[in-house]
Amino acid sequence: MTGKVYLVGAGPGDAKLITVKGLECIRKSDVLVYDRLASPRLLKCMKPGGEKIYVGKLPDRHTMKQEEINQLLVDLALQGKTVVRLKGGDPTIFGRVGEEAELLRKNGIYYEIVPGITSAISVPAYAGIPVTHRDHASSLSIITGHESPDKLDHSIHWDKVTNATGTLVFLMGVAKIGYISAQLIKHGRPPETPVALVRWGTRADQETLTGTLADIEAKVKAADFQPPAVIVVGDVVLQREQLKWVEAMPLFGKRIVVTRARSQASELVDIIEELGGEPYEFPVIETIMPEGAEKKAKIAAALGALESYDWVFFTSANGVEFFWRHLAELGADVRGLHRAKIAAVGPGTAAALAQRGVIAEELPAKFQAEGLIETFGPRLLPGQNVLLPRGDLARDWLPDKLRELGLQVTDVDTYETVVTGEDDDELLKLLEEGRVHAVTFTSSSTVRNFMHILKRMGLEDPLPLLANVKIACIGPLTEQTALEAGLTPGLLSEEATINSLVQELCRWNAETQLQKSLN
């Protein structure tokens, strides 16, 4: 049976600017054919086992020719696969979607064109430039700037285009900015006409350069301003000083790698996005239920004696989640803990308990095992029974200390932490290009697994690629693990919480932006 091809616009770069239908197509696709301008985060939305094919430019080969891409889509569909051709922006605006669709039609293959948000409008908006304005421009032209000067002259009627609309937007024209400016001046645009170039718009790398038709070429050369960028010509550019909004956000300009397990990453990812940063999800750990008869028997025995415990210490939100999973699996009733005091290591763990209707004792001042002993020490009496439902990588310090104080400790691994099986070539590319600004670590295992996966992906020594990346750790134990791995932690949260970690990231970015403005 012949498959189907969806020709999908990915939007300008920010992963959340894809359409709802575009995202649905990605999620059900068997194969994703993409290029440089598609957000790497969108690639992670594919169903497990989906195939990704990059058709953009690589160091060891030129961009795949359009005819080859057209035929690739046909071949994949003829194999019965659901294919998404993911293009930056909108596929109908200089996206050559007509050529792809034509060959699909000739081969009897069903296809759909799914529009996307074009960079011609969205990228200027992210730079504070509305492409129309009641006082400055009531019309808009979108023009290719990618061709050679003689091809531009052949495809563009400069005498008509120059003054046809109030705003002119050129896509892919950075290398030709001098020629474009000269032609516009030659055909009637005043030399003082405002111009803006917005590079990597809607992404963490977004950068805006402004000038006039008379001086913009010199400014581009002086700044070594590289593509990809959108060029905006017209008085609407003057709105930028009043309307620029992205640059004012606390994490603007920062691409931050989130290494937490995918099941836990959403909170940190959402906060980074809300504050104007670009999160890059790279989960390096996965938490799973323990396997094996012996492990399960130990858990069953521990949870079968709930009424015997005087204390239950939860040292992570994962500990809470998996404890309740085991209760459900075993058919045990949490009310068996009616005589036990419930302690949480920190606010995240306490919140996980509260979601399940359990209010923890007062929180320790330090959100780690040592803090539990400092806070509850006088109430921990010899002979009391303590349950510690934890992960398999938890430190021995807490159970050892409790036993030293004379308590009876049942220490049981209710979950296991394993290395994820996913490699990520996109992350390697970003690291090699110096486009990762920070990596967040929320546990010692995220540090160890991150380094392990980078080596597994072929980096014999990952440290040089991370030399200029800010390493952000959620607490002193994680920081110590990072140091032992050869990393140089630059940010340490005051408290072992996500909010405290984000506050450190914001403080760092504010200092970075201030230093940049002074230079």
Side-chain angles (χ1 to χ4, degrees):
M1 181 177 177
T2 302
K4 184 173 181 177
V5 177
Y6 295 91
L7 304 164
V8 177
D14 183 331
K16 284 194 172 180
L17 292 180
I18 194 170
T19 63
V20 173
K21 183 165 186 176
L23 189 58
E24 289 175 350
C25 291
I26 292 172
R27 286 174 172 161
K28 66 183 178 183
S29 65
D30 300 311
V31 185
L32 188 66
V33 179
Y34 68 103
D35 54 33
R36 182 187 185 200
L37 297 180
S39 170
R41 287 183 63 197
L42 294 176
L43 310 185
K44 299 178 185 296
C45 297
M46 287 190 74
K47 62 187 179 184
E51 182 183 1
K52 305 177 185 73
I53 301 177
Y54 179 67
V55 294
K57 190 173 184 179
L58 288 172
D60 58 347
R61 69 164 169 82
H62 295 295
T63 308
M64 184 181 287
K65 293 179 180 178
Q66 184 62 47
E67 294 76 13
E68 296 173 332
I69 297 174
N70 300 346
Q71 189 60 49
L72 174 65
L73 299 178
V74 170
D75 294 343
L76 291 169
L78 290 175
Q79 294 171 26
K81 296 180 178 179
T82 299
V83 183
V84 165
R85 170 67 173 111
L86 194 62
K87 297 167 170 283
D90 179 273
T92 66
I93 297 181
F94 308 132
R96 304 184 74 169
V97 73
E99 299 168 47
E100 295 172 350
E102 184 178 356
L103 190 62
L104 292 169
R105 182 185 60 79
K106 286 180 178 178
N107 283 271
I109 294 167
Y110 291 107
Y111 65 88
E112 287 187 32
I113 298 175
V114 181
I117 299 175
T118 174
S119 59
I121 295 171
S122 54
V123 167
Y126 265 60
I129 302 171
V131 292
T132 64
H133 189 282
R134 185 170 63 175
D135 297 330
H136 301 294
S138 58
S139 54
L140 165 71
S141 295
I142 302 173
I143 309 155
T144 180
H146 190 51
E147 308 288 359
S148 61
D150 35 327
K151 283 189 178 180
L152 282 175
D153 288 341
H154 177 73
S155 59
I156 300 172
H157 298 288
W158 292 104
D159 56 331
K160 295 181 175 62
V161 166
T162 300
N163 296 297
T165 59
T167 303
L168 306 177
V169 175
F170 291 85
L171 301 184
M172 307 169 291
V174 177
K176 312 296 187 306
I177 186 62
Y179 185 79
I180 291 170
S181 299
Q183 289 301 307
L184 294 177
I185 293 172
K186 177 181 176 181
H187 289 89
R189 281 278 171 134
E192 61 272 17
T193 301
V195 182
L197 278 74
V198 188
R199 179 177 186 268
W200 284 116
T202 79
R203 301 286 297 274
D205 321 81
Q206 178 173 314
E207 186 179 357
T208 303
L209 181 68
T210 58
T212 65
L213 287 176
D215 65 15
I216 194 65
E217 180 182 18
K219 287 188 173 184
V220 167
K221 288 179 179 177
D224 191 25
F225 202 86
Q226 297 295 319
V230 171
I231 301 168
V232 187
V233 179
D235 289 341
V236 291
V237 171
L238 299 175
Q239 294 296 303
R240 171 171 159 74
E241 286 308 310
Q242 299 173 341
L243 302 182
K244 59 183 178 183
W245 56 278
V246 173
E247 289 98 323
M249 300 181 81
L251 287 177
F252 167 72
K254 293 294 181 279
R255 179 175 289 107
I256 301 167
V257 175
V258 177
T259 57
R260 298 188 96 191
R262 185 164 279 121
S263 59
Q264 294 180 307
S266 59
E267 179 188 5
L268 181 53
V269 166
D270 289 346
I271 294 174
I272 290 172
E273 279 187 326
E274 186 68 25
L275 296 175
E278 183 180 317
Y280 189 99
E281 290 185 69
F282 183 61
V284 299
I285 62 173
E286 184 180 352
T287 48
I288 60 173
M289 295 280 273
E291 294 292 333
E294 186 178 341
K295 294 176 183 177
K296 291 182 177 181
K298 186 176 179 181
I299 294 169
L303 271 60
L306 295 181
E307 295 187 1
S308 68
Y309 299 117
D310 302 290
W311 291 91
V312 183
F313 284 166
F314 288 101
T315 57
S316 70
N318 275 332
V320 175
E321 179 186 344
F322 280 90
F323 180 79
W324 255 261
R325 282 199 207 177
H326 288 293
L327 286 178
E329 193 172 275
L330 294 167
D333 192 335
V334 72
R335 287 175 296 181
L337 292 174
H338 62 87
R339 62 185 290 267
K341 295 178 177 61
I342 310 295
V345 74
T349 307
L353 286 166
Q355 288 173 2
R356 292 161 174 84
V358 176
I359 305 303
E361 303 288 316
E362 69 267 26
L363 295 180
K366 292 183 197 172
F367 302 151
Q368 57 191 74
E370 288 80 354
L372 289 169
I373 298 298
E374 290 175 9
T375 300
F376 301 112
R379 297 160 63 186
L380 299 173
L381 305 177
Q384 289 180 330
N385 289 323
V386 181
L387 174 63
L388 280 180
R390 310 189 301 163
D392 62 322
L393 300 182
R395 293 185 298 149
D396 293 331
W397 187 89
L398 183 57
D400 289 348
K401 187 65 178 178
L402 290 168
R403 291 186 180 106
E404 185 182 311
L405 294 173
L407 287 83
Q408 303 297 315
V409 179
T410 301
D411 182 15
V412 59
D413 295 341
T414 52
Y415 68 94
E416 295 178 351
T417 303
V418 297
V419 182
T420 57
E422 297 181 14
D423 290 351
D424 192 333
D425 292 337
E426 294 297 325
L427 178 62
L428 282 185
K429 244 188 273 186
L430 290 171
L431 285 169
E432 289 165 356
E433 294 170 358
R435 296 173 59 204
V436 171
H437 304 103
V439 178
T440 58
F441 293 115
T442 54
S443 66
S444 292
S445 56
T446 59
V447 177
R448 288 189 289 264
N449 290 5
F450 180 74
M451 300 301 284
H452 171 79
I453 294 173
L454 288 182
K455 291 177 181 177
R456 188 180 71 194
M457 288 194 293
L459 287 179
E460 190 173 327
D461 181 10
L463 294 178
L465 278 185
L466 297 167
N468 295 317
V469 176
K470 190 65 71 171
I471 304 300
C473 298
I474 202 167
L477 296 176
T478 305
E479 181 185 48
Q480 181 58 38
T481 306
L483 287 167
E484 291 168 359
L487 297 169
T488 305
L491 298 175
L492 176 64
S493 58
E494 289 188 14
E495 298 178 347
T497 65
I498 292 299
N499 284 335
S500 182
L501 183 64
V502 170
Q503 287 172 9
E504 276 301 300
L505 289 166
C506 290
R507 181 193 59 76
W508 159 63
N509 195 38
E511 291 178 356
T512 302
Q513 297 298 339
L514 177 61
Q515 191 62 42
K516 188 176 179 180
S517 67
L518 293 175
N519 293 338

